[in-house]
Structures are given as structure tokens and as C-alpha cells.
Amino acid sequence: VFHYATNCNSENSYILFNAETNQGADIGVCYNMTGFSDGYMIACSNRKVNSRVQIIDRDGNIFSPDIWTDGGKIGQYAENVFWGGKNFYNIDGSVAINLSEYDIVNAPYFENGTSYIEIQNNSGIIYYTEIDHQGNFLFDPIKRS
């Protein structure tokens, strides 16, 4: 079982390494890695628009669902979901919470049943709120100061 990833060259190619067994697994080029949480690490294939999400488990297996992010905006896997640019997804890559109608500017994640999100309107003003696992706003968005 792998516990962390390390950069092995200047091309952002990573190796997962288990210090207890002295084993490694080359997971290739990854960007914006989240680190392991609940057995999974979320990464992107590049830093550009249309970056493909990669899900990496502790055994070094890589799953690349049909999820694409703008600029590699991803969030930590927590409470059975992760942020993939426009929505929260289940670990199988299916949409768990659809927030695609909003311009979310942070990389949210769940903690204790809620997720803090920042929403930018058409004028560039950023508001914040929290949501639950059903995508319900827990309070009306408040303008960030």
C-alpha cells in the first residue's frame, strides 16, 4: 500500500513509494495532486484547459474517468466524493453533486458533512457559502470581503 508520491524528474513524472516494502510504482506525469485521503489521490494530466482527472488508489492503479477540468482545478477526495472542476464526483467518476451552473473558483472538498465553496458572478465578485451532500446551500451566499 502506497503512502505518498514523489517527483522523480523535472517533467512532473511521479513515483508512488512504500517505505515499508521498498516498492514503487511509476504513475507518470501528474499535476495538482491532492495527496492520499480515504485511500485515493486525485491528480490531473496537465495544467491546461481540458486537463483529464486521474484517480490513483493506494496500490498504484490509475483510473481516468471521462472528467475534464479547466486548468486542473481538483479537490481532495473526502466523504466519498471529490471536486473535478465543475461538479463533485463519486470515485467511479459519476456526478454526485452537479454545480455546473455556478463558476466555482476554489477547489472545494467535504469535511464533517459540508463543503465551503466560492462562487464568482458575471461581474467578477466572489461570494461564499457551504453546501451539504445533496448540493443544498446551507446559507445564502455572502460577498467575500
Side-chain angles (χ1 to χ4, degrees), residues 48-67:
K48 301 174 185 171
V49 174
N50 294 329
S51 176
R52 188 171 198 143
V53 170
Q54 298 171 311
I55 301 168
I56 304 159
D57 69 16
R58 287 199 181 272
D59 294 323
N61 299 309
I62 300 172
F63 174 59
S64 296
D66 193 22
I67 301 171

Side-chain angles (χ1 to χ4, degrees), residues 6-15 26 28-31 47:
T6 184
N7 184 289
C8 65
N9 64 29
S10 62
E11 301 298 320
N12 286 333
S13 183
Y14 282 83
I15 293 177
D26 184 356
V29 176
C30 296
Y31 293 91
R47 293 183 200 175

Side-chain angles (χ1 to χ4, degrees), residues 92-107:
D92 66 2
S94 62
V95 175
I97 302 170
N98 185 338
L99 295 174
S100 61
E101 67 184 276
Y102 303 102
D103 184 8
I104 308 294
V105 296
N106 64 324

